[in-house]
């Protein structure tokens, strides 16, 4: 890790468990240790949650960012099959890898489902052999919807240390993968710090570094510069790479009459190159050579949507779908080389045009996992695009999108800071989980039910600790009712003691239960008791725990 | 306004135009002055927006909260038809009221569409004759999706002055109606201040005040106490009232096995009353008398969903739909009395169960306007329920819900403050506008297109001013690039100068346009020019406006 030697940076990262929970490890059938976040409840129960945060939230673990995370997957590598070392090659050959076993236990599904979905290309396991620090995860419509958090500095702001902390911070709150989109100085070094310390797969867009190598002039790019950059990043351990190989010369004119033209950085760079040389994109003409390189490391393709719409007006247009058709063609070429593939999607799409995006992607790209950026359901709310896009993301995930790339409140305005990263991750955990519920994921509703029961039973601490952000939920409650008694009060400041519907409902139930009847039977039996009884028992709903 | 005389409160409210826009008035065909918010753009164009903020954003207007707003609709009242003075009665009789004319001009639709939709009960115009201060608005699926903001103090927090400012603040950011849900002391006085100063219709839940009159004991409620409270509020000028007349004795048992029981305050109060007396709800048994009262003032029914689900687990269950069927029955009774009706809906509903709610409501309630609270698409994010519910709200509005009741970040945790009110309103403007786009509202996309063009042309100030929250958008941009040149720079800190896709796209277009060709023709013609030309003209995408 020579990059570290020269380095002046010394990132300090957030460690320790999330409030109200602790790291536990459960054994897989094959004896692998599966990390979970356990929330202990005040009623003696507990709930184990899917955990993306890595060793940073384990109070037993010692964290040293200079030596990096433990190399969990070291020695997991198997002999090549047919010359390939990819999860896809093994899955096709009927081989269950340790990554697949880890994932099956982590998702609570049958390992054969994991192998099958990878074998047919409907799911991918981004796991570069040179990145043994990652905890294996899967991206596919049959599994929990995943979210990605974008990091990376730009020429005008942010430091390496900041980006490493953003990575730890993003995974703490639930990012399943992160992308390092650095475009400024010290790209290689920033990436080295992130890779060695990331518990989740890391994606990149190699064209950014390639462009830096030619002083930011797209016309000066060449296949050779790009190829060497890809090899450099494969060697370093990048797990998946965005490649805008679908931006063909003949598609550029289709963007001429758009409201917002080309909004993908990689897409606009390749369009500029194609026009400058009036030649077909070298990413397209050299695609098979790219497959050979990625195959050797088991790096996953994330075929980029360089022509995605950048506004509601441009959604689902000819340019977007022309590129998607080409991505489908490339998908089949990559699979023939046993290289895993996912497909990137928009962007900005009104709700009525969202489902069509998923349908077409599945049809044209052989059901390769879809990985979308939002989409934003409207353009009119800069500073709130984590919300405009969570609306679109929840729906597109429900329709089958496997991974959602988050959007932060700073989208379109500036580089996100640490708080923006958290806001983006939380909004996307909401979108992803809402989709898991709508898709009927067998275990998704456990958490909703546990939290709702805690809410109904006034177990305030449990309600906070089961939420996506216990600290904020608790502080919002305490703003108006800070004192300790309020943590057990059968009301909150929203309605006050007399008007808490849940309190009244409980009185209603107690009324019946104290008579050894369920409310149902109580009513069905006709309930001849005089009304005074109810008054004595539960009719008086005022509770003297007032705490202004 | 005797309430004012005794009053010690002296609310100070927010006045002045929203940044980057000013109040203008356009004349309707009949000469009514229609308020609009005009955003002047730096390219000489302007965009007029639907404006809910009333005189408070008019720099010409003098605001005196003690004398209240000008009585805009004074003298608009027409002679009764068939003894009724409701917009419904006039619409049925083929009469176009000034309210209808105002609304047609405000929404940019034909006045006959307004009259027709009101006549068949698919739209309502909440406009109590005793509330002449309101600017007429309409709630119906054929019109812009509306949003409501809940206000009102509770027994444990908030003052009258705070609530008046929250009302002004909510309408400033786009609330189309507000509900005063006060349950603490000085209910009548708080409502008086809000009514006399509100430019939008005001809704209430009369059972709250009735319960205060019987010391918070549901069992002590009676038809007489309730009736007198309703008359008091009709006289004061309340425009629509939530009445939980569908919570029948026999439905209460259906909630016994729910995860969260009854979560509507009014619903739980009436359930407690029914059980205490083992009699049918007086709201149901006296419903026709209620119709007679509301008819005399043209107060609109908002039939409450007292048995709405309070968790994902309880969505679309027997209790919820049993009540909805009864609300349908009551809708037809109210219409027979020429009383306008809308129907309240959930609540907490997973995405896959949302459409069914709209379908059933329209079928059972004769297409009366649906007015939903969210719904939240998951229960696991307290402190972020403006987002969990905006996801559900956008979808249910797309399917035909006419008005969305906002949810703030404090939902389930405490009483919202001024900042929470704004966060709730903005999130719901996003949901409502996203639905207008998906429904293909003829003029909804104008604002998206205007903002996207400004974004593409790097008119930063226009992008900020066209957004839902210009102040926040501007401050987010300035956090990373504060200096003046950045307001004209052809990039932002997110990507930096070399990687701005929109900048590169413009270079690509200029390349062609400088040759007097559209990019399309340029390419189709084959483009024989040498690549050097592109390098000279636009290939060098770095722009020396760097401003770290």
């Amino acid at each position: 890790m020579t990059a570290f030697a020269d380095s002046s940076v010394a990132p300090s990262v957030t460690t320790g468990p999330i409030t109200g929970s602790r790291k536990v490890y459960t054994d897989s059938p094959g004896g692998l240790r599966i990390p979970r976040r356990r929330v202990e409840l005040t009623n003696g129960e507990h709930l184990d949650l899917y955990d993306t945060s890595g060793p940073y939230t384990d109070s037993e673990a010692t964290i040293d960012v200079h030596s990096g995370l433990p190399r969990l997957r070291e020695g997991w590598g198997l002999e090549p099959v047919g010359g390939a070392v990819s999860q896809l090659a093994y899955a096709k050959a009927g081989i269950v890898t340790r990554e697949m076993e880890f994932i099956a236990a982590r998702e609570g599904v049958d390992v054969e489902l994991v192998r099958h979905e990878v074998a047919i290309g409907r799911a991918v396991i981004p796991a570069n052999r040179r990145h043994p620090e990652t905890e294996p995860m899967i991206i596919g419509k049959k599994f929990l919807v995943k979210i990605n958090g974008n990091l990376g500095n730009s020429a005008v702001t942010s430091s390496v240390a900041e980006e490493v902390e953003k990575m730890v911070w993003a995974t703490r709150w639930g990012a399943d993968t992160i992308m390092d989109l650095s475009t400024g100085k010290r790209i290689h070094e920033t990436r080295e710090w992130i890779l060695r310390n990331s518990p989740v797969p890391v994606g990149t867009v190699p064209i950014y570094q390639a462009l830096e190598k030619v002083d930011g002039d797209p016309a000066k790019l060449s296949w050779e510069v790009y190829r060497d950059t890809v090899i450099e990043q494969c060697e370093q351990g990048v797990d998946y790479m965005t490649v805008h190989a679908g931006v063909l010369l003949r598609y550029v004119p289709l963007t001429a009459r758009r409201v917002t033209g080309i909004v993908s950085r990689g897409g606009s760079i390749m369009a500029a190159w194609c026009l400058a040389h009036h030649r077909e994109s070298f990413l397209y003409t050299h695609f098979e050579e790219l497959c050979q390189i990625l195959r050797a490391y088991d790096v996953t393709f994330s075929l980029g949507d360089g022509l995605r719409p950048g506004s509601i007006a441009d959604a689902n247009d000819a340019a977007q779908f022309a590129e998607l058709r080409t991505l489908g063609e490339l998908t089949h070429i990559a699979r023939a080389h046993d290289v895993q593939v996912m497909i990137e999607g928009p962007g900005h799409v009104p709700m009525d045009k969202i489902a069509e995006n998923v349908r077409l992607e599945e049809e044209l790209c052989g059901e390769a996992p879809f990985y979308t950026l939002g989409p934003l359901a409207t353009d009119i709310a800069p500073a709130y695009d984590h919300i405009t896009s969570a609306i679109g993301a929840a729906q597109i995930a429900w329709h089958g999108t496997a991974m959602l790339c988050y959007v932060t409140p700073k989208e379109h305005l500036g580089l996100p800071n640490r708080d923006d990263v958290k806001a983006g991750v939380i909004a996307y955990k909401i979108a992803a989980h809402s989709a898991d519920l709508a898709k009927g994921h067998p275990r998704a509703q456990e958490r909703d039910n546990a939290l709702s029961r805690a809410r109904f039973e006034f177990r305030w601490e449990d309600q906070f600790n089961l939420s996506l952000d216990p600290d904020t939920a608790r502080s919002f409650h305490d703003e108006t009712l800070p004192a300790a008694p309020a943590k057990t009060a059968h009301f909150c400041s929203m309605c006050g003691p007399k008007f808490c519907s849940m309190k009244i409902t409980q009185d209603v139930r107690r009324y019946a239960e104290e008579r050894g009847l369920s409310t149902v039977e109580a009513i069905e039996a006709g309930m001849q008791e005089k009304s005074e009884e109810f008054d004595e028992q539960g009719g008086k709903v005022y509770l003297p725990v007032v705490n202004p």
Side-chain angles (χ1 to χ4, degrees), chain A residues 100-171:
Chain A
M100 297 175 197
E101 181 193 335
F102 188 100
I103 287 163
R106 192 176 194 183
E107 297 251 350
V109 299
D110 189 289
V111 71
E112 176 53 23
L113 175 69
V114 176
R115 190 204 59 78
H116 171 76
E117 292 295 306
V118 172
I120 63 172
R122 195 156 57 190
V124 295
I125 298 174
N128 183 337
R129 285 200 163 195
R130 311 270 297 171
H131 189 200
E133 296 88 350
T134 54
E135 295 171 345
M137 56 80 70
I138 192 163
I139 302 167
K141 66 189 287 186
K142 301 278 187 181
F143 306 95
L144 290 168
V145 174
K146 305 304 189 297
I147 69 170
N148 170 73
N150 287 340
L151 314 172
N153 53 3
S154 72
V156 292
T157 178
S158 182
S159 76
V160 173
E162 281 175 76
E163 296 310 310
V164 174
E165 165 59 5
K166 279 187 204 169
M167 175 275 290
V168 172
W169 189 239
T171 56

Side-chain angles (χ1 to χ4, degrees), chain A residues 488-528:
Chain A
T488 55
H490 282 203
F491 65 91
C492 73
S493 71
M494 188 171 184
C495 305
K498 292 183 191 177
F499 286 88
C500 180
S501 60
M502 294 195 174
K503 171 68 178 63
I504 298 173
T505 305
Q506 293 193 357
D507 296 330
V508 168
R509 289 188 180 179
R510 193 182 322 118
Y511 169 65
E513 282 150 12
E514 279 169 0
R515 287 159 180 67
L517 306 161
S518 81
T519 314
V520 185
E521 292 152 348
I523 308 245
E524 282 157 356
M527 294 200 314
Q528 298 311 316

Side-chain angles (χ1 to χ4, degrees), chain A residues 7 25 39 78 136 165 187 190 225 229 234 282 299 333 346 348-349 358 385 397 402 438 440 448 465 491 529:
Chain A
S7 168
Y25 297 89
V39 183
L78 304 172
E165 165 59 5
I187 289 187
T190 306
V225 171
T229 306
C234 286
F282 57 76
V299 171
I333 294 171
H348 293 240
V349 184
V358 181
D385 281 335
D448 295 73
N465 295 338
F491 65 91
E529 297 91 342

Side-chain angles (χ1 to χ4, degrees), chain A residues 129-404:
Chain A
R129 285 200 163 195
R130 311 270 297 171
H131 189 200
E133 296 88 350
T134 54
E135 295 171 345
M137 56 80 70
I138 192 163
I139 302 167
K141 66 189 287 186
K142 301 278 187 181
F143 306 95
L144 290 168
V145 174
K146 305 304 189 297
I147 69 170
N148 170 73
N150 287 340
L151 314 172
N153 53 3
S154 72
V156 292
T157 178
S158 182
S159 76
V160 173
E162 281 175 76
E163 296 310 310
V164 174
E165 165 59 5
K166 279 187 204 169
M167 175 275 290
V168 172
W169 189 239
T171 56
R172 178 181 183 84
W173 296 111
D176 295 283
T177 78
I178 62 102
M179 289 192 78
D180 174 13
L181 305 183
S182 295
T183 58
K185 300 274 161 284
R186 303 159 72 180
I187 289 187
H188 184 100
E189 180 187 3
T190 306
R191 193 169 54 235
E192 185 69 18
W193 277 101
I194 289 174
L195 279 164
R196 301 287 74 82
N197 289 287
S198 175
V200 303
V202 174
T204 61
V205 186
I207 199 80
Y208 298 170
Q209 185 178 12
L211 189 65
E212 292 287 352
K213 291 178 177 176
V214 296
D215 312 317
D217 180 353
K220 293 218 185 82
L221 284 166
S222 69
W223 160 246
E224 292 68 24
V225 171
Y226 184 82
R227 178 199 58 209
D228 296 347
T229 306
V230 167
I231 292 170
E232 170 189 341
Q233 297 194 8
C234 286
E235 281 290 318
Q236 219 175 354
V238 171
D239 300 286
Y240 65 91
M241 297 181 184
T242 295
V243 180
H244 299 94
V247 180
L248 303 190
L249 178 61
R250 65 179 182 276
Y251 297 157
V252 178
L254 300 176
T255 67
R257 296 189 168 89
R258 278 180 158 183
V259 168
T260 46
I262 300 174
V263 297
S264 151
R265 296 192 226 171
S268 62
I269 292 163
M270 291 313 299
W273 186 91
C274 291
L275 290 186
H277 300 275
H278 193 235
R279 278 169 43 207
E280 196 47 274
S281 161
F282 57 76
L283 297 177
Y284 181 78
T285 56
H286 291 268
F287 190 73
E288 299 229 17
E289 290 164 71
L290 261 184
C291 292
Q292 295 297 347
I293 299 168
L294 269 58
R295 181 179 198 257
Y297 300 84
D298 194 13
V299 171
T300 299
F301 271 117
S302 186
L303 295 179
D305 54 337
L307 302 182
R308 67 173 172 266
S311 56
I312 292 297
D314 296 341
N316 293 20
D317 72 353
Q320 182 194 335
F321 289 150
E323 178 186 35
L324 185 60
R325 189 162 277 98
T326 298
L327 297 186
E329 173 195 326
L330 298 173
T331 300
H332 298 297
I333 294 171
R335 285 179 180 173
H337 288 81
D338 288 332
V339 179
Q340 303 187 89
V341 181
M342 54 185 170
I343 305 293
E344 297 185 7
H348 293 240
V349 184
M351 287 188 286
D352 58 309
K353 293 183 175 175
I354 285 176
E356 176 70 356
N357 277 272
V358 181
R359 196 194 62 71
L360 258 185
E361 186 273 342
E362 293 185 342
E363 174 190 323
L364 298 174
C365 305
E367 291 193 289
F370 203 22
Y371 169 30
T372 62
L373 176 63
L376 282 69
T378 170
D379 304 332
I380 69 170
Y384 297 85
D385 281 335
H386 59 309
I387 299 178
T388 63
S389 66
I391 288 171
Q395 287 178 63
I396 206 163
W398 172 27
H399 291 299
T401 292
M403 184 157 78
L404 304 168

